[in-house]
Structure formats: C-alpha cells, structure tokens
Amino acid sequence: VDGEPVVRLGGRGLAVAVSPAGDELAVSTANGEVMLLDHATLRPRRQLTGLSDRVNALAFAPDGAIIAAVDDSGRLSRWTLPEAKPLEPVSIHTRRGFDVCYSPDGRVIATAGEDRAARLLDATSAADLVPPLKHPSRVFRATFHPDGRQLATACEDWQVRLWDVATGTLLAVLSGHTRAVNWACFSPDGSRLASASSDGTVLVWELNSSEDPPRPMVLTGPSGQIWKVAFSPDGSRIAATAADGLVQLWDAVSGRPVSVLRGHRDATWGLAFLNDGHALATASWDGTLRLWGMPMTTLAAAREAAE
C-alpha cells in the first residue's frame, strides 16, 4: 500500500481504539499520552488528562460515552465523552495492566494484567463481579464473546482460556501455540477465535467444532513474533501486527495470505480496523500511527472540507 496517511506521535505508539460511532481514533504512547483524533482528518480533537504511566490498552464503552485505559501501575482510568472529563482512577492490578475491554452491553469491564489475573468488573463501580480469574503466568488479553457470556484470555503460558462471565468458571483451554499467546479476538459472529503468539503464528479456532481436541487453522507469514490480531468487521479478513513492524493480512476463511503491509520501522503494537472495514489503523514504537487503506486524496479532501 503506497501513500497511506501517517501521523507523527509524541512517543512510541502502543494502543489504538476506534469509537463505536467510528468518528474518533484513540491512540496511546509510551510517554503516557492519549490523544483522540478525528477519523476523517486525523487531526487531534482532545488529549486525555490525569495520566502518569504508560497506557497499554484503550477501550470505548459500546455507547461511546466513556473511554477506559489501563496502565503500567495497574490502574483503570476512565473519562466521560465528549468532554473527556476524568473519573476517579481505580487500582485493579498489583502490577502492570495489559488490556481493558467492555462487554457488548457495556455493563462489565474486563482487564488483564502482569499479576497473573484477569478481572471482571462492574462497569460503573469497578467492583469485582467474580473473584479474579487466576492464571499461571502473565495475562496479556481479556476479550468478550459477541454474546457477552464468555471471556477469552491470552496467557504467557502458551494457552488461551475461555471463561463463563457470570460465574468466573473456566470453560475450556485451547492449546496449540508453542510460545506466549499475546492476543486473542473473537470473530464478529462469535463462531471463531483467533490467537496471536510469539511463536510466529495466528491460530484460528472453530468454537463449535466437534473435534476433541480442536485443531485450529494455522496462519503464518514472514514475522517471527506476532503481537496483536483482529478480525475485520465483516469477518472476512484477519490482520496481525508483529515485532518486526510488519502488518499481515489473511483471508479468514481459507487462511490464504492477502498482503504484507510494510512501512513501520519498529514493533507495531496498536491494531484496529475502522468501522467500515476498508481501513486499518496501526501504532508503532517508531512513533507513528498509520492508516492503511485510506487514500491520501481522501484525507486531503476531508481536511479541506473541515477548514
């Protein structure tokens, strides 16, 4: 992809999130900044305040009224939107917080942390709804099934775990990776789960499979360590970011490689499809945010219209 828009950030890029309405991109950097950008012009709208540590993950509430973040101190921070007014931060993890996610109905927040636990919290009070979901090693990801009844976690111990959200009961363990599992995501229809690992693979699991144990589809590419993975909004493509800065795309049904996007010069951590599914936002330690699939002419026209 040539000539994709590039935004210079104030530090190493870490997390990217897209608002439910699709009108804003949130991006965090390693120096503790979180910016909200207009999705069409990529110009800053506002900066979130009250942060003192590196923000590792961002999540919008489904109604777009709140944005949440977890940081290196293990705190959960939230701001009301659109005014970006900070709410009182809450200490959730005893070590670094790695992920934060809202349930589809917005009533539950899930977090994952370096303290070997995932948490299921009331979205208003941030109180625990069930005891912490304990793991043998660091937990990098916690994400809800589209129906909100299950939670998937990605752990350093090479496993993906599925949990019952209402009770905190462990439902299943998906084993197939040979190094740390760094990320996981459900397909939009909830029938599949993709997991990304430092073993250089993305595994795609059929959740309704009758196979025991289930045998995932294996996606590979040029990268040796894969950090993040995401399904496109229509479920047709899978994207992944990697330690070498490459962004890889596969056909989600056949597993066939579609393209490798080259442009970042350091590890690419942030990954999010825009709501239309045509563009992909990535944030990298090279200090840039890139928007793949948005022509420069489209960006220029949007900026001209905004003036």
Side-chain angles (χ1 to χ4, degrees):
V1 177
D2 295 323
E4 73 281 348
V6 179
V7 177
R8 303 290 173 185
L9 304 172
R12 291 177 164 182
L14 280 173
V16 179
V18 181
S19 66
D23 61 330
E24 285 190 319
L25 287 172
V27 58
S28 70
T29 61
N31 58 3
E33 292 183 351
V34 177
M35 293 294 300
L36 297 178
L37 309 174
D38 181 275
H39 88 292
T41 65
L42 297 184
R43 287 177 173 159
R45 284 185 172 180
R46 58 187 68 83
Q47 184 168 336
L48 302 183
T49 59
L51 294 163
S52 57
D53 290 286
R54 187 174 82 171
V55 169
N56 296 310
L58 297 162
F60 286 91
D63 63 2
I66 291 178
I67 185 171
V70 289
D71 62 26
D72 270 1
S73 69
R75 291 183 309 177
L76 170 70
S77 299
R78 292 167 292 169
W79 298 260
T80 59
L81 298 175
E83 63 272 20
K85 179 182 177 182
L87 303 176
E88 189 68 26
V90 183
S91 292
I92 301 298
H93 294 280
T94 57
R95 300 178 71 180
R96 287 184 291 177
F98 288 134
D99 193 29
V100 61
C101 183
Y102 274 91
S103 63
D105 63 7
R107 296 179 180 179
V108 184
I109 292 175
T111 65
E114 191 175 25
D115 57 4
R116 303 183 177 188
R119 308 286 285 270
L120 287 166
L121 313 169
D122 180 274
T124 302
S125 67
D128 281 299
L129 295 172
V130 298
L133 310 180
K134 296 182 179 180
H135 293 67
S137 191
R138 295 186 293 178
V139 190
F140 297 127
R141 171 67 160 162
T143 184
F144 288 94
H145 187 278
D147 69 10
R149 293 183 293 195
Q150 289 187 22
L151 184 82
T153 56
C155 185
E156 191 176 29
D157 73 342
W158 309 359
Q159 316 292 331
V160 177
R161 290 172 174 82
L162 300 178
W163 308 81
D164 183 274
V165 170
T167 65
T169 303
L170 179 63
L171 300 174
V173 179
L174 303 179
S175 301
H177 287 293
T178 58
R179 290 188 68 186
V181 185
N182 299 316
W183 210 248
C185 63
F186 289 98
S187 61
D189 67 1
S191 67
R192 293 170 293 167
L193 182 140
S195 54
S197 171
S198 294
D199 65 14
T201 69
V202 171
L203 300 184
V204 184
W205 309 83
E206 294 287 345
L207 298 179
N208 301 319
S209 172
S210 59
E211 293 181 329
D212 188 21
R215 289 179 294 179
M217 179 169 66
V218 181
L219 309 183
T220 59
S223 298
Q225 296 184 66
I226 300 181
W227 295 143
K228 299 283 175 70
V229 63
F231 279 93
S232 61
D234 65 0
S236 67
R237 289 172 295 159
I238 292 172
T241 59
D244 56 10
L246 297 179
V247 182
Q248 303 173 66
L249 288 163
W250 295 268
D251 181 279
V253 177
S254 67
R256 180 181 58 84
V258 174
S259 60
V260 177
L261 308 178
R262 305 174 189 273
H264 287 301
R265 298 181 179 180
D266 206 334
T268 305
W269 291 95
L271 172 68
F273 276 96
L274 269 64
N275 294 1
D276 63 5
H278 298 306
L280 184 70
T282 56
S284 170
W285 272 30
D286 66 10
T288 66
L289 172 77
R290 288 179 180 264
L291 211 60
W292 312 90
M294 174 189 276
M296 287 296 295
T297 52
T298 301
L299 177 67
R303 289 183 170 179
E304 184 177 349
E307 292 175 352

